[in-house]
Amino acid sequence: MKDSLDIQFISDVMCPWCVVGLGNLNKALEQLSEKIETTLTFQPFELNPNMPAEGQDLSEHITEKYGINKEQSDQNRDMIKTRGKEVDFDFNFTAESRIRNSFDAHRLLHWAQLEGKQAELKDALFKAHFTHNQDISDHQILANLAASVNLDPAAAKGILENNLFADEVRQQEQIWQQNGITSVPTVIINNAYAIAGGQPAEVFKSAIDEALEKIQADKTNAG
């Protein structure tokens, strides 16, 4: 009988390291698939909750927020591209790349979880933003992305236009912030182990193995 793991993946669609972290987490889970069953839930976190509707030029945003120059910013992007290739993801940074407000994307992800399509939509959102440079704050684009993973685009449009799940998303964000989460990605395993950052697959696998050892120890003690 396989052991069960609950994994909470706290992230923002605007975060490239969240793409890397998710890719490596999935690699680790695949390596362990014969002995574990995993429930993976994506939790909301906004790196830029006050981002205006028109977004902001990526280079301008990075240099302003992190106090680095263009050369340092370019070096960071090159590193992210390399790490992306390691998890078969194409980061396509261009002069037109912009940071967007991700709140509506998080509302749609909340709905997608209820519909059993959260992982598929998360992947579609990452690709739309980082590979295809689409505006994932645009309601029509979000509805199209919902349709691409076999969710009802009309239902998605209704959710977005009527501000559904806004309270739920804000409440989830507050819960994680109150629990000390200040950066993403952060991966929580069985509410006991926290791993921060876009770590290599080996780091995730090691943490999962540790969690499995604890499960086995608890079973032994209970027996």
Side-chain angles (χ1 to χ4, degrees), residues 56-64 68 70 73-74 77 94 97:
Q56 184 181 18
D57 174 81
L58 177 60
S59 293
E60 178 184 271
H61 174 80
I62 295 298
T63 53
E64 278 185 8
I68 61 176
K70 185 180 183 303
S73 178
D74 290 343
R77 286 188 218 178
T94 73
S97 294

Side-chain angles (χ1 to χ4, degrees), residues 101-115:
N101 189 296
S102 60
F103 186 69
D104 287 346
H106 285 302
R107 290 198 292 121
L108 211 60
L109 281 164
H110 183 93
W111 170 60
Q113 181 192 357
L114 303 177
E115 299 293 322

Side-chain angles (χ1 to χ4, degrees), residues 1-208:
M1 183 176 176
K2 293 182 178 181
D3 289 315
S4 297
L5 284 185
D6 174 79
I7 298 181
Q8 307 292 323
F9 191 89
I10 307 161
S11 61
D12 190 4
V13 184
M14 294 293 108
C15 166
W17 290 110
C18 294
V19 178
V20 173
L22 179 59
N24 283 321
L25 173 62
N26 284 332
K27 278 186 180 181
L29 293 175
E30 189 175 339
Q31 292 169 15
L32 296 165
S33 60
E34 292 187 1
K35 60 180 182 179
I36 61 170
E37 289 180 350
T38 306
T39 301
L40 176 61
T41 306
F42 294 96
Q43 298 289 354
F45 189 99
E46 291 177 87
L47 289 169
N48 304 286
N50 299 315
M51 182 61 62
E54 68 274 14
Q56 184 181 18
D57 174 81
L58 177 60
S59 293
E60 178 184 271
H61 174 80
I62 295 298
T63 53
E64 278 185 8
K65 184 170 183 176
Y66 299 105
I68 61 176
N69 58 38
K70 185 180 183 303
E71 183 181 0
Q72 292 170 314
S73 178
D74 290 343
Q75 288 173 349
N76 287 344
R77 286 188 218 178
D78 287 341
M79 179 169 58
I80 289 167
K81 285 181 182 179
T82 299
R83 294 290 299 276
K85 288 177 182 176
E86 293 171 1
V87 293
D88 299 319
F89 190 92
D90 179 23
F91 285 103
N92 178 31
F93 298 115
T94 73
E96 285 73 44
S97 294
R98 297 181 73 78
I99 294 288
R100 304 289 183 179
N101 189 296
S102 60
F103 186 69
D104 287 346
H106 285 302
R107 290 198 292 121
L108 211 60
L109 281 164
H110 183 93
W111 170 60
Q113 181 192 357
L114 303 177
E115 299 293 322
K117 291 285 187 179
Q118 195 184 36
E120 292 89 340
L121 183 61
K122 186 75 166 182
D123 184 60
L125 286 163
F126 276 146
K127 287 177 180 174
H129 176 64
F130 286 112
T131 304
H132 304 299
N133 281 308
Q134 292 182 296
D135 179 0
I136 58 90
S137 68
D138 181 275
H139 286 184
Q140 186 58 58
I141 288 174
L142 286 171
N144 292 344
L145 291 173
S148 76
V149 298
N150 297 317
L151 287 166
D152 182 351
K157 204 79 178 291
I159 287 165
L160 294 165
E161 290 175 352
N162 292 292
N163 208 33
L164 298 182
F165 304 122
D167 290 343
E168 289 86 344
V169 169
R170 289 195 179 97
Q171 184 177 25
Q172 286 176 324
E173 289 178 332
Q174 287 172 2
I175 287 170
W176 294 115
Q177 289 168 4
Q178 288 166 2
N179 279 277
I181 304 301
T182 58
S183 64
V184 288
T186 297
V187 177
I188 310 290
I189 302 174
N190 280 6
N191 288 321
Y193 300 87
I195 307 149
Q199 300 292 346
E202 295 75 21
V203 173
F204 288 118
K205 186 174 181 295
S206 176
I208 292 169

